[in-house]
Amino acid sequence: MVKTTRSITLNIDETAVAVDFKPIKNIHLTVYPPDGRVHVSAPDTMDDESVKLFVISRIGWIHAKQREISEQPRQSDREYVSGEDHYFLGARYRLLVETHCMPPHVAVKNKQFILMTVKPGTTKAQRQTLMNDWYRAELAKVLGPMIEQWTTTMNTTYYDWQIQDMQTRWGSCNYRTKRLLFNLQLAKKPRTCIEYVVVHELIHTKVRLHNDTFWALMDRYLPDWRTRKDRLDSEPLLVKNLDK
């Protein structure tokens, strides 16, 4: 992770813009779902006024992106009861909750439903934990072979990978230790989107920064990565902050 040397907040056209200055070469502007938060990573050699002028030059694009995000379909907070829609690997399923004395479990049924079996008196929090444990196990089944395949293809190495319910990123890579983290919420996304995140993070084991070399490798290994990223960003959002 690139160290932030200082941070400021700009207010431009009633838009708050968080700016982090870092030892990087190029300036990067991002508008994050679900609330249209604006963030700029700027070279620490730039002055505040230059960053401000850059943001002003992109304010039209920023507002358009914020409108696009605000119009995306969203899932309300889940109650984990029968009849709810839940996503798994890019498909939408109807949740069926059945009460039995047998051990709790979750499984896809008839390619249409996610069946959750729980014991009597199970709380919402316990059902959520059960669902997340299932998501974690299923995502691991996808990530394991995918990471192994791409590690071989790229001729790179990694020491460890884990799944976490992260709030601000789909994935991350510790360049020094080559330790990879993947967001639990990827279990809800299409396999092509998961693969985009895997390739992105594995390239970071070779190239630390988002520089020309990094993007050239993205183009080499995954020529349609932009389409995959757009789909990842356009999939139905949760109310909670699950951006990248």
Side-chain angles (χ1 to χ4, degrees):
M1 182 177 295
V2 182
K3 183 179 179 180
T4 297
T5 58
R6 66 186 181 94
S7 301
I8 63 172
T9 299
L10 301 175
N11 289 289
I12 300 173
D13 196 19
E14 299 183 351
T15 300
V17 181
V19 182
D20 289 328
F21 291 89
K22 303 180 178 182
I24 57 179
K25 293 182 179 180
N26 300 310
I27 190 168
H28 300 282
L29 168 65
T30 309
V31 180
Y32 288 116
D35 55 2
R37 174 172 58 89
V38 184
H39 179 265
V40 170
S41 293
D44 52 14
T45 54
M46 289 185 70
D47 56 47
D48 296 4
E49 187 63 23
S50 296
V51 175
K52 182 177 180 179
L53 291 174
F54 168 79
V55 175
I56 290 174
S57 72
R58 302 298 305 277
I59 198 66
W61 178 86
I62 290 171
H63 289 332
K65 192 67 176 179
Q66 288 176 326
R67 286 193 298 271
E68 177 184 321
I69 289 172
S70 68
E71 293 169 358
Q72 286 181 246
R74 299 169 185 267
Q75 283 188 291
S76 59
D77 189 25
R78 305 286 82 185
E79 296 294 328
Y80 301 94
V81 295
S82 291
E84 284 184 339
D85 288 334
H86 287 258
Y87 286 82
F88 174 56
L89 296 182
R92 185 170 63 183
Y93 294 85
R94 185 64 56 86
L95 180 64
L96 294 178
V97 180
E98 296 183 353
T99 302
H100 294 291
C101 293
M102 65 179 63
H105 76 281
V106 178
V108 172
K109 180 179 181 182
N110 298 331
K111 299 182 180 180
Q112 299 180 30
F113 305 100
I114 293 178
L115 174 64
M116 175 184 289
T117 301
V118 296
K119 294 182 178 181
T122 302
T123 66
K124 171 187 171 181
Q126 290 171 326
R127 295 182 187 197
Q128 181 179 17
T129 297
L130 179 62
M131 180 70 82
N132 284 343
D133 287 345
W134 177 72
Y135 274 135
R136 187 182 305 276
E138 293 300 316
L139 179 58
K141 294 177 184 177
V142 175
L143 285 173
M146 200 175 282
I147 293 171
E148 183 176 354
Q149 172 197 338
W150 279 105
T151 297
T152 301
T153 299
M154 294 182 187
N155 191 28
T156 187
T157 59
Y158 67 91
Y159 295 147
D160 185 30
W161 61 269
Q162 295 181 0
I163 299 170
Q164 292 185 3
D165 196 1
M166 298 185 287
Q167 293 295 308
T168 59
R169 295 171 181 243
W170 290 116
S172 68
C173 170
N174 186 310
Y175 182 80
R176 181 177 58 83
T177 65
K178 293 181 172 58
R179 181 169 178 260
L180 310 177
L181 295 179
F182 296 96
N183 196 322
L184 175 64
Q185 302 302 319
L186 283 172
K188 303 173 184 178
K189 305 304 178 182
R191 290 176 184 268
T192 55
C193 296
I194 298 172
E195 188 172 39
Y196 155 73
V197 178
V198 168
V199 172
H200 185 112
E201 301 309 332
L202 281 174
I203 290 178
H204 273 310
T205 67
K206 303 167 74 72
V207 183
R208 181 180 181 184
L209 303 178
H210 287 144
N211 54 26
D212 291 342
T213 300
F214 179 91
W215 298 120
L217 288 174
M218 285 295 299
D219 288 335
R220 173 185 171 187
Y221 290 120
L222 212 62
D224 65 341
W225 69 265
R226 294 171 182 83
T227 300
R228 298 182 188 222
K229 182 179 184 301
D230 287 344
R231 186 177 183 188
L232 176 65
D233 293 339
S234 65
E235 289 290 310
L237 299 169
L238 298 176
V239 173
K240 65 184 292 189
N241 185 14
L242 293 175
D243 48 56
K244 178 173 174 56

